[in-house]
Amino acid sequence: MAGTIETLAEHGCFGGVQGFYRHASAACGGAMRFAAFVPAAGRERRLPVLFYLAGLTCTEETFTIKAGAQRVAAELGMIVVMPDTSPREPQLPGDRDAWDFGQGAGFYVDATQAPWSANYRMFSYVTEELPALIDAHFPTDPARRGVFGHSMGGHGALVTALRRPDVFRSCSAFAPISAPMDCPWGHKALGNYLGPDRSAWAAYDASALMRARPFAREILVDQGLADKFLAEQLKPELLEAAAAASGQALTLRRHAGYDHGYYFIQSFVADHLAHHARQLGQM
């Protein structure tokens, strides 16, 4: 049964409402925040809903403020939900010691190692608890639900779609961590959250998952070629190879001059919303 939500702020935006909310999370064992944009069309009918998963150091405010997605979402008639990237309470030992692990870096996994396993259950949160909460409180159509994200959140979007196609019917990503089993960010997060057994890591590696069982619909990925993390951390070529091996329909676009930041996301966010709108029957 979905719980209650607390409204922190709501603002008129392109005829709809941009809101910020908080709720008690059973999955994460404490309060969690999220943002949600509901266009004017939501006053009349149920709409498709997109979940945006943000990257390292980000919060529910990052994409909401920086991406400029609300105008396009209003035109397409799509709800967009932006969860936080990790639990924030209770504070755990060492969870603020590094920018790429702990708070702001939940990596969208269900941790199995102490002390993280009691609270860092972001996979369950974004695939089960949060969708149920959103469906209970907003005018969504649960049969038309998509997921997208950036960097760590791009990894999260790919993994959640590949593992839970019953929950998410469309998927895209900006500069995702495509193969966390093969990069330093992934080694740090998966090793600490899941332990040293690399066989457990494969459940959260998009390239490994895609090789085993492709997503039923085309996935869109955009990657900037001026991204300083491209070679060491992101490795889109491994995702491309996995798609070729499994027959996954993948459009991977590489863009000269674009880096890892939100100017890159602003430039292509309309394409991503249109991709989801087509797949969810809004275009």
Side-chain angles (χ1 to χ4, degrees), residues 43-267:
R43 302 185 192 110
E44 303 171 354
R45 62 186 185 278
R46 294 196 170 272
L47 303 176
V49 55
L50 301 183
F51 288 78
Y52 176 85
L53 308 183
L56 292 166
T57 76
C58 293
T59 72
E60 73 282 357
E61 294 185 338
T62 311
F63 179 87
T64 308
I65 294 171
K66 292 184 175 182
Q70 290 91 340
R71 177 185 59 80
V72 181
E75 293 172 355
L76 294 173
M78 305 183 78
I79 295 170
V80 185
V81 176
M82 291 71 62
D84 200 355
T85 52
S86 76
R88 303 286 172 174
E89 55 182 70
Q91 187 174 351
L92 301 179
D95 67 0
R96 299 185 185 181
D97 291 350
W99 67 273
D100 57 354
F101 182 78
Q103 287 202 15
F107 231 77
Y108 305 102
V109 306
D110 280 353
T112 58
Q113 303 300 298
W116 315 104
S117 55
N119 304 97
Y120 279 67
R121 301 183 65 247
M122 291 296 293
F123 181 81
S124 290
Y125 179 68
V126 299
T127 61
E128 298 175 8
E129 184 177 26
L130 185 61
L133 186 79
I134 297 301
D135 290 344
H137 292 279
F138 297 91
T140 61
D141 178 355
R144 295 188 292 165
R145 191 188 288 132
V147 63
F148 66 141
H150 169 236
S151 192
M152 176 187 73
H155 139 80
L158 292 167
V159 167
T160 54
L162 286 161
R163 288 184 57 178
R164 294 300 306 271
D166 57 318
V167 176
F168 299 112
R169 305 300 175 88
S170 61
C171 178
S172 70
F174 299 95
I177 302 171
S178 295
M181 293 178 70
D182 294 291
C183 76
W185 281 341
H187 291 175
K188 185 173 186 176
L190 299 180
N192 281 287
Y193 289 135
L194 303 178
D197 181 2
R198 288 176 61 92
S199 65
W201 299 9
Y204 296 102
D205 184 294
S207 295
L209 291 167
M210 188 177 287
R211 281 183 179 273
R213 186 177 64 183
F215 191 61
R217 296 180 174 179
E218 178 189 12
I219 294 173
L220 171 64
V221 173
D222 279 308
Q223 174 63 60
L225 293 179
D227 189 323
K228 66 181 180 180
F229 302 115
L230 176 58
E232 183 180 27
Q233 304 283 11
L234 305 180
K235 302 182 182 292
E237 68 279 3
L238 298 184
L239 189 72
E240 203 167 37
S246 68
Q248 170 70 56
L250 173 69
T251 297
L252 174 54
R253 308 190 302 185
R254 295 171 168 88
H255 304 277
Y258 287 91
D259 60 22
H260 199 66
Y262 268 79
Y263 295 116
F264 162 59
I265 292 174
Q266 287 177 24
S267 300

